[in-house]
Amino acid sequence: MAMAMTAAELRDAYLDFFAAKGCTRHPSAPLITDDPTTLFTVAGMAQFKDMFLGRGALPFTRATTCQKCMRTNDILNVGRTPRHHTFFEMLGNFSFDDYFKRETIAWAWEFLTRVLALDPERLWVSVHTIDDEAWDIWAREIGFPEARMVRLGDDDNFWPAGAPADGPLGPGGCCSEIFWDFEPDGPAGVHPGNDPGDRFVEIWNLVFPQYNVCEPKVDGRYRLDDLGRRNIDTGAGLERMACVLQGKRNNFDTDLFQTIIAQVCAVTDARYVEGAPSGSSEEERNALIRRIADHVRGVSFAIADGAQPTNTGAGYVVRRLIRRAVLDVDKLGLEDPCLHGVVPAVVTAMGSAYPELPRRADMAAALIEREERQFRSTLRRGLDLLERELATRDPGPAFDGDKAFRLYETYGFPREVTEEILDERELRIDEAGWQQAEAAHRAVSRSKDVVVFTASALSDAKPRLGPTAYVGYDQLSADVELVLLEVDGAAVETAGAGTAVRFALAPTPFYAEGGGQVADHGQVLGPDGAFTIQVTDVQRDEGLVIHSGVVAHGCARPGPVFAAVDQDRRGDTAAHHTATHLLHQALCAVLGDQVEQQGSKVDPGELRFDFNHPQQLTREQQTRIEQMVGDWIIQALDVQVAVLPIDQARARGAKALFGEKYGDEVRTVAVGEPPVSIELCGGCHVANTAEVKQFRILREEASAAGIRRIIAIAGDVAVARAEEEDRLALACGKVLGLVDPDPRELADLAQALKAKPEELEGRLRALVDEAHELDQLVASTDTTQLLLQGGLVERVQGLQAHVKRLRKQRQQLQARQAMAQVDGILAAAQEVAGVSLLVGQFSGVDGKGLREVGKTLQDRRPEAAVILGSETDGKAALLALVPPALHPRGLQAGALIGSLARQVGGGGGGRPDQAQAG
Ligand code: SER
């Protein structure tokens, strides 16, 4: 009889069992990776990649974890099948050249049959066709009946799946999978390799990564070189094992999901019916509820590890998951945002195992709610898009399947809604096209999703080259060795001028992008100046630093080189990086210690800092922050870097980044003694805060729900900007007669004038000139008076009000003068081909003034056509009025004005009775 265990008990039992076998209990890596090849952690082994290659620096050779994983390649199946998830937990045990197949298989057997007390008769095992060793261990040493063993090929029993034929190159190995049989009395002849349904579930994958999958390919398969290391990587889905243990058929019916499902039902007012027959309306509804539960759970974990709904990378997956869940809510008949209400249940169910969840629950709920609202308006746009497609499509009864799938995949537009709309027009989706697009999409997302290894000459050489030593904290140039030169992924001995290259140096003074700090740029020079490579990017691929650039002259080749970092760029970047730490500290001092960094970007031009805070920062808060940082700069505090054991660093109060992985030894950056700021950081800093020179907040804005962003400048950039502003303020002051203008007023001044900084001076001059001119018109000296008092903004606002007032006066004056001409125009009426024509010419009268005069003329002579023109500051305004009685004779105001307007080089038009031009 299997043990009735909760999922939490199972998690502990597994980790305890392997701890007793000498495996170190290691924490889960974050869900979001900094690995460029994959968005999410997809397997327990991901954080141990280096260890398999013998490059890792962990102090143990056996480990056990419960790893948070996310896979989106099977997303279309989630909720529909009993055992697909996006987010899931993988129980794993790992050996790094320590225990091997014998122990792995024996311990898996012991855990399943002794600890969990699963019925051995219901277990099945698969082994790779080439792996006699594993087969013999199962059959002879364990005594597992061969009748329940199957041999399968690369797609089922190799990991990464199919690697011998399709890559990726790198570590891999045969695996042996353990299955549970849900229907032991089911038809004979059905086994895990040919199961047409859900009879068998794979509960544990034992991988033996003993090979390096490498070129060349012979007969369609890559070479499998022995790594010379006996590694073990096993993965067991916690949800699946819990399902088997709890005697359920569906993972979602385990205790792990019950709390979450109950909450989905509560917020959507829907009912979940466990065990509803497939095809029934209850089961359809169940599937929706399960999918909502899965997606909110996954999104909550992703947000807890730092993701946010965006349009790229992991953020895009988060966005899609929320959107799919919104569509399901829609189908349950609810129109209001409600998904955020499920987050607390995820916390209840899993918060004690994953403390990051409760810490980020409010933020997760806020981000989800905002996304829900936005998506509802996107849905309305999707409808427009479909309408447009329908208007321009080729005739025929089928609607392009690829387009329908794109609407669904890209815009999140549900297929059923598309079908309903097509139905109204007696159209249907071209199914073959849809299937093809869906298959292509699956292939792409699969290849992006579960690949853990990539290949190029440089990444293949990682084991040989080892991690790159970095000397750039102290040295900006150095005599080093160019150890591998790569063009288009292949190693080369030479690369001519103009070629884009990637290369590794040993050691390197170039800082690789990381920790929010941009990569160094610079040059690599060959011996005696034989060649120059301009370095434009530097990235870290695990330990290896990969430089990218272009050969600027000569012929680049491996060997000794002189590497020189662009000093100005580095100096400006370092000033911004130290300023970022000071800003972080000042934010905590002004807003409270709950402020945590949510992201940062440090480059030579500016810094960007994101942090959690519910409201906009006030001007006063911003000023206090600026002053605080300014004070630390004036105090000329030394910046001290130290490498300490992590516990000691934490004891000193070092700020660590949430969700970041740290080793046992960490680099700390402390400002002042005792420190005013201390952070764990691998970036580049100035040696003393005096080098930060100045600090200025340029903008404070919203970045996401509950997250604010500050854009600021420091160092020479801030100094240069301050000088530029002093100059601009003086120039503006001069126009306004102010000798000591305050540059801090420039922003408000720009706003008052709705002008860019470079336009300010010209705008001011025009304003003052106009004010003087208007003064003359009404014989006033107000402008001179206004330019005697106040600062920049006060003077400008005074002038603006003054000009506005006088413009109005001038207009009234001109309108009165125009009206005075009415009698003269009537007296000068002409008869042209039996039509009375009234023509008037004015100056300084605008379109509105012309219409008033025109109306007066029409009142006096209703049968006459009227043409009026006015000139103001070199611009013409025209008006034509033609009474309806004249329209049948071909005389129309619109046509008339058109030909007149062309004569003055303008355009216009209007109705037959009235038209205007300028
Ligand atoms: N890496 C293997 C898997 O993901 C076993 O942990 O299935």
Side-chain angles (χ1 to χ4, degrees), residues 383-708:
L383 214 58
D384 290 348
L385 257 155
L386 178 56
E387 293 295 347
R388 228 174 308 146
E389 288 288 352
L390 283 169
T392 55
R393 63 182 283 280
D394 298 330
F399 181 79
D400 191 333
D402 182 57
K403 288 200 172 124
F405 185 76
R406 244 198 359 249
L407 270 169
Y408 162 73
E409 179 44 42
T410 316
Y411 303 99
F413 204 60
R415 177 175 170 141
E416 306 84 271
V417 178
T418 307
E419 279 172 342
E420 267 168 39
I421 294 168
L422 294 181
D423 219 38
E424 286 163 15
R425 296 164 206 237
E426 298 185 353
L427 292 171
R428 53 175 178 73
I429 295 175
D430 159 35
E431 191 57 41
W434 173 287
Q435 296 290 350
Q436 215 175 337
E438 186 175 76
H441 169 74
R442 267 178 207 265
V444 170
S445 59
R446 185 182 307 269
S447 62
K448 279 202 205 106
D449 211 40
V450 261
V451 167
V452 187
F453 306 102
T454 45
S456 78
L458 278 162
S459 57
D460 286 351
K462 279 189 281 182
R464 178 165 62 80
L465 299 177
T468 308
Y470 178 60
V471 293
Y473 287 129
D474 317 305
Q475 275 172 272
L476 288 189
S477 60
D479 287 308
V480 301
E481 186 86 7
L482 197 165
V483 286
L484 202 162
L485 185 63
E486 184 190 277
V487 175
D488 291 334
V492 295
E493 281 309 311
T494 57
T499 315
V501 291
R502 304 201 315 152
F503 56 93
L505 299 176
T508 185
F510 288 95
Y511 182 82
E513 180 177 339
Q517 182 182 323
V518 291
D520 277 338
H521 289 179
Q523 292 190 328
V524 168
L525 307 175
D528 303 322
F531 62 84
T532 309
I533 306 174
Q534 290 293 352
V535 179
T536 51
D537 192 23
V538 186
Q539 298 288 332
R540 185 175 286 276
D541 181 353
E542 296 172 43
L544 185 69
V545 174
I546 298 181
H547 310 71
S548 307
V550 174
V551 181
H553 99 272
C555 187
R557 55 181 83 238
V561 290
F562 180 70
V565 171
D566 176 337
Q567 300 196 16
D568 290 343
R569 180 181 161 91
R570 166 69 84 79
D572 290 339
T573 307
H576 280 114
H577 205 153
T578 306
T580 305
H581 286 208
L582 298 179
L583 168 64
H584 189 179
Q585 191 58 38
L587 280 166
C588 289
V590 172
L591 303 177
D593 269 336
Q594 74 290 348
V595 168
E596 273 182 33
Q597 173 170 346
Q598 302 294 327
S600 75
K601 174 107 200 292
V602 177
D603 69 30
E606 64 180 26
L607 69 90
R608 195 180 78 197
F609 189 80
D610 291 356
F611 56 101
N612 54 315
H613 188 65
Q615 303 112 24
Q616 196 176 358
L617 264 55
T618 62
R619 272 264 174 119
E620 295 70 55
Q621 286 169 329
Q622 294 188 37
T623 309
R624 272 172 62 203
I625 290 163
E626 275 185 346
Q627 280 167 351
M628 199 170 262
V629 175
D631 285 347
W632 289 325
I633 293 173
I634 291 170
Q635 288 162 21
L637 304 169
D638 279 337
V639 178
Q640 307 275 4
V641 174
V643 175
L644 304 175
I646 181 127
D647 298 335
Q648 213 171 316
R650 285 193 204 281
R652 288 198 73 195
K655 285 194 169 69
L657 282 198
F658 183 75
E660 193 79 18
K661 255 188 302 182
Y662 294 103
D664 298 331
E665 296 261 296
V666 289
R667 184 172 184 262
T668 57
V669 176
V671 181
E673 185 55 54
V676 296
S677 146
I678 174 163
E679 292 197 26
L680 303 191
C681 177
C684 301
H685 290 267
V686 296
N688 184 290
T689 56
E691 294 169 57
V692 180
K693 295 178 184 170
Q694 281 202 19
F695 174 77
R696 269 273 302 282
I697 294 179
L698 295 185
R699 291 193 303 284
E700 189 270 353
E701 61 199 26
S703 154
I707 313 261
R708 305 297 303 177

Side-chain angles (χ1 to χ4, degrees), residues 118-154:
L118 289 180
D119 179 356
E121 310 261 307
R122 293 184 58 182
L123 294 172
W124 282 66
V125 161
S126 72
V127 173
H128 196 284
T129 40
I130 62 170
D131 193 358
D132 293 335
E133 188 184 356
W135 184 276
D136 287 345
I137 295 172
W138 277 113
R140 320 248 172 285
E141 298 181 20
I142 303 292
F144 198 90
E146 295 191 45
R148 292 204 312 277
M149 285 171 68
V150 283
R151 280 186 181 267
L152 302 172
D154 290 341

Side-chain angles (χ1 to χ4, degrees), residues 365-382:
L367 288 171
I368 290 173
E369 183 175 1
R370 190 185 57 160
E371 189 64 24
E372 286 181 274
R373 289 188 194 284
Q374 279 176 359
F375 180 49
R376 294 203 179 260
S377 64
T378 305
L379 270 181
R380 286 190 289 277
R381 272 210 308 282

Side-chain angles (χ1 to χ4, degrees), residues 75-149:
I75 192 168
L76 301 176
N77 283 329
V78 174
R80 291 188 200 163
T81 72
R83 59 189 71 130
H84 280 103
H85 305 280
T86 54
F87 173 89
F88 65 99
E89 292 172 83
M90 188 185 278
L91 297 165
N93 59 288
F94 308 90
S95 154
F96 315 117
D97 203 20
D98 190 327
Y99 63 85
F100 201 46
K101 296 186 190 178
R102 171 163 295 121
E103 295 87 339
T104 306
I105 292 173
W107 293 344
W109 183 246
E110 182 186 342
F111 182 71
L112 293 175
T113 57
R114 300 255 171 77
V115 180
L116 302 186
L118 289 180
D119 179 356
E121 310 261 307
R122 293 184 58 182
L123 294 172
W124 282 66
V125 161
S126 72
V127 173
H128 196 284
T129 40
I130 62 170
D131 193 358
D132 293 335
E133 188 184 356
W135 184 276
D136 287 345
I137 295 172
W138 277 113
R140 320 248 172 285
E141 298 181 20
I142 303 292
F144 198 90
E146 295 191 45
R148 292 204 312 277
M149 285 171 68

Side-chain angles (χ1 to χ4, degrees), residues 3-44:
M3 300 277 295
M5 270 187 194
T6 64
E9 285 163 353
L10 170 60
R11 201 188 282 125
D12 285 339
Y14 183 96
L15 296 173
D16 287 347
F17 177 84
F18 281 101
K21 302 288 184 201
C23 296
T24 300
R25 267 177 95 139
H26 200 66
S28 171
L31 197 52
I32 315 288
T33 67
D34 47 12
D35 181 338
T37 60
T38 142
L39 301 176
F40 295 102
T41 299
V42 295

Side-chain angles (χ1 to χ4, degrees), residues 42-45 71 90-91 94 159 202 205-207 233-236:
V42 295
M45 52 67 63
R71 292 184 185 179
M90 188 185 278
L91 297 165
F94 308 90
W159 208 89
E202 173 218 322
N205 186 8
L206 314 179
V207 188
D233 154 30
T234 87

